C-alpha cells in the first residue's frame, strides 16, 4: 500500500467500529471498499475470500484496478483516534511538573517552554516531532492549541497538512495572567494575529477537509473582557469555525476566574455572555460542574473534551469529571490527551484512564455502578464521539459508507510485541479487541490511514 498509490482500496478481514456509544460492532470476514478519493463505498460482513472479487465487481471495482488488503489472523481495522484537546507546544515537556496545581504548573513549566516557539526553527522541529508522534499513536485527527505566536501556529498547520493529519489549529489568545515575556502585546495584536492565522489556514486548505482554524481563548483567566468580546465577534463572523477553551478545570482555576469576573456566578454564563458557547464549542476538562452548568452545556449544544490523564495528575487533586451525567443529558463527549498536562500522548491510555476516573466518580456519587463507563463507551469517545466534538463527525469516526477512511491497522501477533496480554488459541474477536485496548500500545498500530492514504506504515 504505497503512499502515492491512489487507486480504490478494498480491505478484507476483521473490522471493528462503533456508531453509537453503547454498541461495538465487530465484523468478521468483512469487506470494506473505498474509492480513489478515500470515501467509503461499502461495508459488508460475512464475505468469503472467493466472493471478494464478485462483490467488488458489483461495486464497479475489480482486482486489476483496486488494492486489496487481506488482514491476517490477529489483525483488525478500527477507526483512527481523535484527540479533542492537545497543547501542541507542550509536546517537548509533557510529563514535567506532575502533581502541581494548575496555575503554578503553567507559570513554572508550561509558559517558559511555550515561549520558545517564538523561534521558528524550534517550532518547526518540535511540531514535526509532535505530528509524527501523534500519528504513531494512531491519532488521525487532533484539536491543537498553538502557542500565542502566529507564525509558529501557521507552521503547525503547514506540518499537519504536509504529514497528512487532520487538525483544528488555533493561535492561543492570552493577554493577561501570564509573564510579560509570554503574553499578547494587546487586544488588537491578539486579534490581528488570530485573523492572520485563520486566513493562512483557509488558504492552504480552502475546503477545510483536512485543516481548519479554531478560535482559542486559552481560558478566561488569560483574557481581558475586551479580548473575549472581540473573539465573540469573530466567532459570529465565522459561523462555521470551531471554538475551544478550558472550562471548570480545577478548584484553583474556578476561584481565579470568579475573582476576575465577579459579575458571573458560573463559567457557563461568562462564556455565553461573550458569545463563545454553542454547537461549535469544545470545552476541555469540565471536572467541577453544577447541575445548572450541565444543563446549559446541553441546551447550547457544546461538546466536552474529557482529559482523564491530566485531570488525575495536574491541577491539584484527582478530578473525575461527571461523564456519565453528561451522556445522560445528551452532551457529546470526546477524549483528549492534553499533552503537557497529561503526561501520555496515548489515546489508549486516555481510554483506560477514562474508565478508572469513571469508577472513582461512581464511588463518589452513587456507588451502584451507574456512573461507571464501559469499554464500548470509551472507545466511542476516542473515535466517533471525538469526531463529533471537533466538528468532523460527518466525515470520519466510523466506517459508515459515505464517510472518509481514517483507520488504524492493528496487529496483535506476538512478533509485534506491545500487548501485555498475548493472544491465545480460542480467543474470541471481542477478547482480541479488549486485549489491545487494555494492554496494547503503539507497537501494535502498524499502519495509519487518513482519507484512504497511508500516512504511516510499519507493516
Amino acid at each position: 500500500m504505497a503512499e502515492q498509490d491512489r487507486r480504490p482500496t478494498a480491505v478484507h478481514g476483521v473490522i471493528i467500529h462503533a456508531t453509537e456509544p453503547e454498541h461495538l460492532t465487530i465484523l468478521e470476514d468483512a469487506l470494506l471498499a473505498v474509492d480513489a478519493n478515500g470515501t467509503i463505498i461499502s461495508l459488508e460482513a460475512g464475505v468469503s475470500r472467493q466472493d471478494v472479487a464478485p462483490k467488488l465487481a458489483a461495486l464497479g471495482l475489480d482486482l486489476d484496478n483496486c488494492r486489496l488488503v487481506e488482514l491476517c489472523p490477529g489483525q483488525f481495522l478500527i477507526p483512527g483516534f481523535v484527540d479533542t484537546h492537545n497543547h501542541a507546544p507542550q509536546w517537548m515537556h509533557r510529563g514535567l511538573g506532575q502533581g502541581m496545581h494548575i496555575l503554578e504548573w503553567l507559570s513554572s513549566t508550561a509558559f517558559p517552554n511555550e515561549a520558545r516557539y517564538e523561534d521558528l526553527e524550534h517550532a518547526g522541529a518540535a511540531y514535526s516531532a509532535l505530528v509524527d508522534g501523534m500519528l504513531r499513536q494512531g491519532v488521525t485527527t487532533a484539536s491543537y492549541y498553538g502557542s500565542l505566536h502566529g507564525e509558529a501556529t501557521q507552521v503547525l498547520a503547514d506540518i499537519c497538512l504536509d504529514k497528512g493529519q487532520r487538525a483544528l489549529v488555533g493561535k492561543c489568545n492570552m493577554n493577561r495572567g501570564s509573564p510579560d515575556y509570554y503574553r499578547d502585546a494587546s487586544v488588537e495584536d491578539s486579534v490581528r494575529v488570530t485573523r492572520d492565522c485563520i486566513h493562512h489556514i483557509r488558504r492552504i486548505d480552502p475546503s477545510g477537509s483536512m485543516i481548519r482554524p479554531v478560535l482559542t481563548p486559552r481560558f478566561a483567566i488569560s483574557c481581558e473582557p475586551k479580548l473575549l468580546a472581540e473573539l465573540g465577534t469573530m466567532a459570529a463572523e465565522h459561523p462555521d469555525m470551531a471554538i475551544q477553551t478550558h472550562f471548570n478545570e480545577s478548584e484553583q482555576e474556578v476561584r481565579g476566574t470568579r475573582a476576575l469576573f465577579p459579575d458571573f456566578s458560573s463559567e457557563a454564563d461568562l462564556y455565553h455572555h461573550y458569545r463563545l458557547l454553542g454547537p461549535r464549542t469544545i470545552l476541555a476538562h469540565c471536572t467541577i460542574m453544577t447541575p445548572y452548568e450541565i444543563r446549559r452545556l446541553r441546551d447550547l449544544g457544546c461538546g466536552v473534551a474529557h482529559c482523564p490523564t491530566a485531570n488525575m495528575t495536574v491541577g491539584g487533586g484527582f478530578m473525575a469529571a461527571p461523564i456519565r451525567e453528561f451522556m445522560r443529558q445528551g452532551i457529546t463527549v470526546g477524549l483528549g490527551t492534553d499533552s503537557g498536562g497529561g503526561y501520555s500522548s496515548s489515546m489508549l491510555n486516555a481510554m483506560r484512564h477514562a474508565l478508572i476516573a469513571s469508577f472513582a466518580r461512581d464511588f463518589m456519587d452513587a456507588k451502584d455502578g451507574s456512573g461507571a463507563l464501559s469499554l464500548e463507551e470509551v472507545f466511542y469517545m476516542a473515535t466517533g464521539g471525538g469526531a463529533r466534538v471537533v466538528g468532523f463527525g460527518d466525515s470520519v469516526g466510523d466506517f459508515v459508507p459515505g464517510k472518509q477512511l481514517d483507520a488504524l491497522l492493528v496487529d496483535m501477533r506476538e512478533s509485534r510485541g506491545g500487548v501485555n496480554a498475548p493472544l491465545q488459541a480460542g480467543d474470541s474477536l471481542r477478547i482480541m479487541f479488549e486485549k489491545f485496548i487494555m494492554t496494547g500500545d503503539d507497537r501494535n498500530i502498524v499502519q495509519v490511514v487518513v482519507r484512504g492514504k497511508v500516512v504511516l506504515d510499519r507493516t
Side-chain angles (χ1 to χ4, degrees), residues 133-448:
M134 295 286 275
L135 288 172
R136 187 174 65 246
Q137 296 287 352
V139 177
T140 53
T141 301
S143 187
Y144 286 128
Y145 285 57
S147 66
L148 62 78
H149 311 104
E151 289 183 307
T153 302
Q154 293 179 29
V155 167
L156 172 59
D158 292 342
I159 289 172
C160 290
L161 185 62
D162 180 63
K163 291 182 179 291
Q165 185 186 48
R166 291 184 199 272
L168 302 183
V169 177
K171 169 252 185 295
C172 228
N173 299 105
M174 41 189 295
N175 73 330
R176 69 168 169 184
S178 56
D180 290 343
Y181 66 80
Y182 191 56
R183 183 186 302 178
D184 286 324
S186 65
V187 170
E188 292 74 21
D189 185 68
S190 185
V191 170
R192 176 186 60 78
V193 175
T194 300
R195 291 189 183 278
D196 287 345
C197 287
I198 294 169
H199 174 76
H200 176 81
I201 292 168
R202 290 189 162 164
R203 180 181 62 79
I204 63 172
D205 187 8
S207 69
S209 59
M210 289 292 293
I211 313 298
R212 299 175 184 174
V214 52
L215 285 179
T216 308
R218 188 173 199 125
F219 56 175
I221 290 175
S222 290
C223 299
E224 294 176 354
K226 184 179 178 183
L227 179 54
L228 290 176
E230 290 290 339
L231 293 174
T233 297
M234 205 178 305
E237 292 172 357
H238 300 275
D240 60 336
M241 188 162 55
I243 305 159
Q244 61 183 356
T245 193
H246 297 78
F247 193 90
N248 286 7
E249 182 174 0
S250 69
E251 289 281 3
Q252 188 184 49
E253 178 264 324
V254 170
R255 289 196 301 269
T257 301
R258 290 183 179 174
L260 289 170
F261 295 89
D263 292 340
F264 300 97
S265 60
S266 74
E267 291 193 17
D269 289 341
L270 189 163
Y271 285 113
H272 186 246
H273 172 79
Y274 289 106
R275 300 187 290 175
L276 294 170
L277 291 189
R280 298 172 287 144
T281 307
I282 307 162
L283 297 175
H285 304 298
C286 302
T287 64
I288 303 167
M289 301 290 293
T290 65
Y292 169 77
E293 287 184 305
I294 293 174
R295 290 194 302 272
R296 291 295 287 153
L297 266 57
R298 176 201 64 196
D299 294 344
L300 293 166
C302 304
V304 169
H306 179 35
C307 304
T309 305
N311 296 154
M312 295 189 289
T313 54
V314 169
F318 187 106
M319 297 174 291
I323 301 303
R324 171 60 66 206
E325 184 58 26
F326 292 154
M327 296 175 75
R328 288 193 187 107
Q329 295 285 344
I331 296 170
T332 304
V333 181
L335 291 181
T337 64
D338 198 22
S339 196
Y343 64 86
S344 172
S345 59
S346 167
M347 290 294 290
L348 291 169
N349 277 345
M351 282 186 263
R352 296 160 194 164
H353 294 156
L355 288 173
I356 293 168
S358 77
F359 301 155
R361 187 79 199 198
D362 177 67
F363 180 79
M364 290 187 294
D365 295 343
K367 300 185 181 182
D368 61 2
S370 62
L373 299 174
S374 67
L375 196 69
E376 289 87 349
E377 288 169 323
V378 298
F379 178 70
Y380 178 79
M381 291 178 197
T383 55
R388 289 180 59 197
V389 168
V390 301
F392 277 104
D394 291 339
S395 303
V396 298
D398 53 49
F399 298 134
V400 172
K403 293 190 176 182
Q404 296 180 346
L405 182 66
D406 285 12
L408 311 179
L409 174 54
V410 178
D411 193 332
M412 297 285 286
R413 292 177 295 178
E414 188 174 353
S415 60
R416 290 291 174 184
V419 290
N420 288 321
L423 292 182
Q424 301 180 84
D427 279 352
S428 67
L429 298 180
R430 168 72 190 215
I431 288 175
M432 178 174 67
F433 173 78
E434 287 193 26
K435 285 184 173 181
F436 169 64
I437 297 298
M438 296 309 299
T439 78
D441 62 31
D442 61 300
R443 286 171 289 180
N444 301 110
I445 300 171
V446 299
Q447 200 168 80
V448 179

